[in-house]
Amino acid sequence: MFSKSCEYAIKASIFIAQHRDGVTCVGVKEIAKGIQAPEYFVAKIIQELSRKKAINSIKGPNGGFCMSEAQMKKPILDIVVLMDGDGLVNNCILGLEHCSSDNPCPMHHEYQKIKQSMRNMLENNTVADFKSLVNLKKAVLNTN
Amino acid sequence: MFSKSCEYAIKASIFIAQHRDGVTCVGVKEIAKGIQAPEYFVAKIIQELSRKKAINSIKGPNGGFCMSEAQMKKPILDIVVLMDGDGLVNNCILGLEHCSSDNPCPMHHEYQKIKQSMRNMLENNTVADFKSLVNLKKAVLNTN
DNA sequence: ATAATAAAAGATATTAATGTCTTTTATAGT
DNA sequence: ACTATAAAAGACATTAATATCTTTTATTAT
Ligand code: FES
Ligand code: FES
């Protein structure tokens, strides 16, 4: 479904959003622990998110990562596309070059609805939405 | 979504089912061409399907691969599980060790419906179903 | 200015997925 | 029996994903 990079990117975004109090930012180490992912790998990934303006970073002492309200209000789909591209919501499930009802693969008709609900889920839920679930203890980012 | 191996396995199964006339079987070369996939790689995959009894194979002259009615009536999910395991219909979309509503990840609630419809699609459609679509020219296995 | 901190960048390592080629085995037809 | 055919099996190659380590750069605080 998602690549590991994408899984970590989603969880890291939510974690960063969750720990945003407007003052302090959160460092790689803490993020990696919070989402139970390898530290150096997470570093790579959130640096990429930062380069691509999905999150902000601050160097030096008391530095780390944080998100603006605007960034938190972006749909999760944005993160997914940054990491994995838009294949999940566009491509043919059987790998045909183009997914279209003109020349559909055998699974196309059945898959269309699923792909659409996948797209809806990713478009209609923001980082902030998922952050709230975690803050309300209705969801978790790790298995501790 | 699916691995390449799984994509090829699904398409190959449908192709073999499609070319089954009860008499002749179809060889790797023809299958690979028919599904636009690398021949040697397809060979590996359908050999695995054969080992696991999802299809039959016959060695020697006029040999090749074919499927019984019973095999054709198996849901596509069987092929998927043989190649990729059951992660797609069981695992947490964010990679938590267990997917459960007890300790759900932030996407769990939204994802459940999607996972269920994915499972339904894969359980309720057989190789024969998709074969029919191709035979009726309502679907294709390649882009030629 | 200097030291400490933490991200950025770059290099390297490991593993898994994908793809290819060669040799062996079984079978059919002569 | 011999030959041709085609799958089975095993070895090998390539690429992409995942993971780790080192060096550099920016920033803060002393
Ligand atoms: S053509 Fe395969 S999913 Fe649309
Ligand atoms: S816990 Fe993540 S999808 Fe169920």
Side-chain angles (χ1 to χ4, degrees):
Chain A
M1 179 72 62
F2 299 142
S3 68
K4 279 288 164 199
S5 298
C6 188
E7 281 181 14
Y8 296 156
I10 294 171
K11 287 194 273 196
S13 305
I14 297 171
F15 186 89
I16 294 165
Q18 187 198 358
H19 284 241
R20 176 197 147 77
D21 53 11
V23 183
T24 56
C25 32
V26 54
V28 174
K29 245 183 192 132
E30 198 180 341
I31 297 169
K33 266 186 194 161
I35 68 173
Q36 277 183 323
E39 179 184 333
Y40 290 119
F41 194 23
V42 170
K44 282 288 162 214
I45 290 162
I46 59 188
Q47 277 163 27
E48 188 179 346
L49 291 179
S50 170
R51 238 177 294 124
K52 292 177 173 172
K53 311 293 182 193
I55 64 179
N56 301 123
S57 76
I58 300 172
K59 277 188 174 183
N62 311 316
F65 299 85
C66 54
M67 292 177 84
S68 69
E69 292 294 328
Q71 286 167 330
M72 288 178 23
K73 286 201 174 120
K74 294 275 188 182
I76 283 287
L77 180 61
D78 287 16
I79 308 280
V80 172
V81 170
L82 286 182
M83 302 306 299
D84 286 353
D86 64 0
L88 187 62
V89 290
N90 282 329
N91 287 358
C92 168
I93 192 176
L94 289 184
L96 292 193
E97 199 160 353
H98 301 292
C99 169
S100 118
S101 39
D102 289 351
N103 244 33
C105 75
M107 300 181 75
H108 177 85
H109 182 70
E110 299 275 329
Y111 182 56
Q112 278 305 93
K113 321 161 209 169
I114 294 172
K115 194 156 71 173
Q116 188 58 49
S117 36
M118 179 72 69
R119 177 185 282 279
N120 288 342
M121 168 177 76
L122 297 173
E123 272 179 348
N124 299 337
N125 287 283
T126 66
V127 177
D129 292 333
F130 290 142
K131 172 206 90 155
S132 302
L133 286 182
V134 177
N135 276 341
L136 293 169
K137 312 255 187 207
K138 304 225 166 167
V140 299
L141 292 173
N142 61 55
T143 56
N144 293 331
Chain B
M1 180 70 64
F2 299 141
S3 68
K4 281 287 165 200
S5 298
C6 188
E7 281 181 13
Y8 296 155
I10 294 171
K11 288 194 273 196
S13 304
I14 297 172
F15 186 88
I16 294 166
Q18 187 198 358
H19 284 241
R20 176 198 148 74
D21 53 9
V23 183
T24 56
C25 32
V26 55
V28 173
K29 246 185 191 131
E30 197 181 340
I31 297 169
K33 265 187 194 159
I35 67 173
Q36 277 183 323
E39 178 184 334
Y40 291 119
F41 195 22
V42 169
K44 283 287 163 212
I45 291 161
I46 58 188
Q47 275 162 28
E48 188 178 348
L49 290 179
S50 170
R51 252 197 318 270
K52 292 176 173 172
K53 312 292 183 196
I55 63 178
N56 301 124
S57 76
I58 299 170
K59 277 189 174 183
N62 311 316
F65 298 86
C66 55
M67 292 177 83
S68 68
E69 292 295 327
Q71 286 166 330
M72 289 179 20
K73 285 201 174 120
K74 293 276 186 181
I76 284 287
L77 180 61
D78 287 16
I79 307 279
V80 172
V81 170
L82 286 182
M83 302 306 300
D84 285 353
D86 63 1
L88 186 62
V89 291
N90 282 329
N91 287 359
C92 169
I93 191 175
L94 289 183
L96 293 194
E97 197 160 354
H98 300 292
C99 169
S100 118
S101 41
D102 289 351
N103 244 33
C105 75
M107 300 181 74
H108 177 85
H109 182 70
E110 299 274 329
Y111 181 55
Q112 279 304 95
K113 319 161 210 171
I114 295 171
K115 194 157 71 173
Q116 189 58 50
S117 37
M118 180 73 69
R119 177 186 281 279
N120 287 341
M121 168 177 75
L122 297 174
E123 272 179 348
N124 298 337
N125 287 284
T126 66
V127 177
D129 293 332
F130 290 142
K131 173 206 90 157
S132 302
L133 286 182
V134 176
N135 275 341
L136 292 169
K137 313 256 188 208
K138 304 225 165 167
V140 300
L141 293 172
N142 62 56
T143 56
N144 293 331

